Amino acid sequence: AITFTNKAAGELRERLNVAVGAEAADIWAQTFHSACARILRSHISKIGYPSSFAIYDEDDKKKVLQSILKDMGVDEKRYDLRSIAGAISRAKDSLMTPEEFAQEQSPDPFKNITAQVYEKYERQMQNMGALDFDDMIVKTVQVLRECPEVLEYYQRKFRYVLVDEYQDTNHAQYVLCSLLAGGSGNLCVVGDDDQSIYKFRGATIANILDFEKQYPDAMTIRLEQNYRSTGSILNAANGLIANNRGRKGKTLWTAAVSAPARPALPIPATSAVCT
């Protein structure tokens, strides 16, 4: 069971303990990054990194990039460090290597500088035995793709894969989940396309909108009862969100006494899509 925050992962574990008792200890209920760290500690040596790799936070990452820009003689006032870091992060979210990034022809000097920085950053991080947060996903995907025996091991281990907040996944996370569930095909994703607000972080709403195209045998379960709001709030939300393009139809309703039994117009709700 994979989710985004430590709090959500903790809640998952608590519910599993109640539902299945001692057997819950055999179930992974973790964030993307903690699950990937667990896999990488055992197998990252296969792609040239030490199993004792360090995990760099944003401040550590910034210092490495600053050092690279200084060695290159690049003026940070002209080429903003935050923008370069963001471009590298988006490339990793798309599983684009430094070589692939550099091969994209562009007259933009910023992109050319970023391509050089990305290549140097990747090499320096490997030399230091370090990963940033984006690398946690990217390197796990690399291990699974390049080491068939590791992929087979985890596909056998994880007979069922559940992904929470699927509307917030990026391309790298989508590939990771597809690989892990590729053995049994038992993939259940939970999410709400109307709550996809993290495109700026690399989230790809197509992951949830196209799920049934990618998995034509999927069963969709709509969780439409709302427990938090009154009918007037639901109707107001519907009037706004009905303008969204490319969304899945839903009809949210509430059992609250002060609210109508079912609003006439479709309103966003969490939906579960599973195979």
Side-chain angles (χ1 to χ4, degrees):
I2 310 174
T3 187
F4 280 86
T5 67
N6 290 324
K7 182 175 184 292
E11 291 174 352
L12 275 171
R13 285 191 291 271
E14 289 175 5
R15 294 176 186 179
L16 284 166
N17 286 332
V18 172
V20 299
E23 292 183 0
D26 295 328
I27 302 173
W28 286 27
Q30 298 180 293
T31 64
F32 273 98
H33 290 103
S34 60
C36 287
R38 191 169 172 179
I39 293 172
L40 290 174
R41 291 294 181 194
S42 298
H43 306 286
I44 198 171
S45 61
K46 295 179 182 295
I47 59 171
Y49 286 79
S51 59
S52 58
F53 61 86
I55 300 175
Y56 277 22
D57 62 18
E58 289 303 308
D59 287 338
D60 297 325
K61 177 179 176 179
K62 179 180 177 181
K63 291 176 183 177
V64 176
L65 290 172
Q66 283 178 325
S67 175
I68 291 171
L69 290 175
K70 182 178 180 181
D71 290 342
M72 291 174 61
V74 174
D75 184 0
E76 282 190 45
K77 294 181 179 179
R78 183 178 179 187
Y79 297 100
D80 179 58
L81 175 65
R82 181 178 298 180
S83 298
I84 291 175
I88 293 173
S89 183
R90 288 190 295 275
K92 290 185 178 184
D93 287 345
S94 300
L95 296 178
M96 186 178 294
T97 66
E99 293 75 22
E100 291 168 336
F101 188 87
Q103 286 172 2
E104 287 194 340
Q105 299 298 322
S106 174
D108 182 4
F110 171 81
K111 184 169 184 181
N112 293 330
I113 288 292
T114 301
Q116 296 177 51
V117 174
Y118 185 12
E119 188 275 330
K120 294 178 183 295
Y121 175 73
E122 185 79 352
R123 186 170 64 247
Q124 187 164 329
M125 290 289 281
Q126 183 168 7
N127 289 340
M128 294 186 299
L131 303 181
D132 62 30
F133 288 122
D134 296 317
D135 287 330
M136 303 297 288
I137 312 294
V138 173
K139 300 306 178 185
T140 303
V141 170
Q142 184 180 348
V143 168
L144 295 176
R145 281 177 163 177
E146 296 182 6
C147 308
E149 73 283 2
V150 177
L151 176 60
E152 181 181 4
Y153 171 80
Y154 285 105
Q155 286 182 341
R156 288 178 178 273
K157 182 178 182 66
F158 301 132
R159 293 169 53 203
Y160 303 93
V161 177
L162 168 72
V163 187
D164 191 22
E165 303 290 359
Y166 196 65
Q167 78 278 356
D168 292 333
T169 54
N170 58 36
H171 178 68
Q173 291 163 335
Y174 155 75
V175 172
L176 173 66
C177 297
S178 299
L179 287 169
L180 292 176
S184 65
N186 294 320
L187 174 62
C188 176
V189 304
V190 184
D192 183 355
D193 52 299
D194 286 326
Q195 294 188 47
S196 180
I197 60 174
Y198 291 115
K199 184 177 181 180
F200 70 97
R201 292 185 185 174
T204 306
I205 193 173
N207 289 348
I208 192 167
L209 291 179
D210 295 341
F211 188 88
E212 290 148 307
K213 296 178 183 177
Q214 297 160 352
Y215 299 94
D217 295 328
M219 176 176 63
T220 300
I221 303 168
R222 303 192 187 283
L223 308 177
E224 297 179 312
Q225 183 174 4
N226 181 283
Y227 298 92
R228 296 179 178 177
S229 303
T230 63
S232 57
I233 292 175
L234 301 187
N235 284 326
N238 174 73
L240 177 64
I241 297 177
N243 296 298
N244 287 359
R245 299 176 182 177
R247 60 187 290 267
K248 294 179 179 291
K250 317 176 190 75
T251 303
L252 200 66
W253 62 278
T254 178
V257 175
S258 62
R262 284 182 180 270
L265 297 174
I267 293 181
T270 303
S271 62
V273 187
C274 42
T275 57

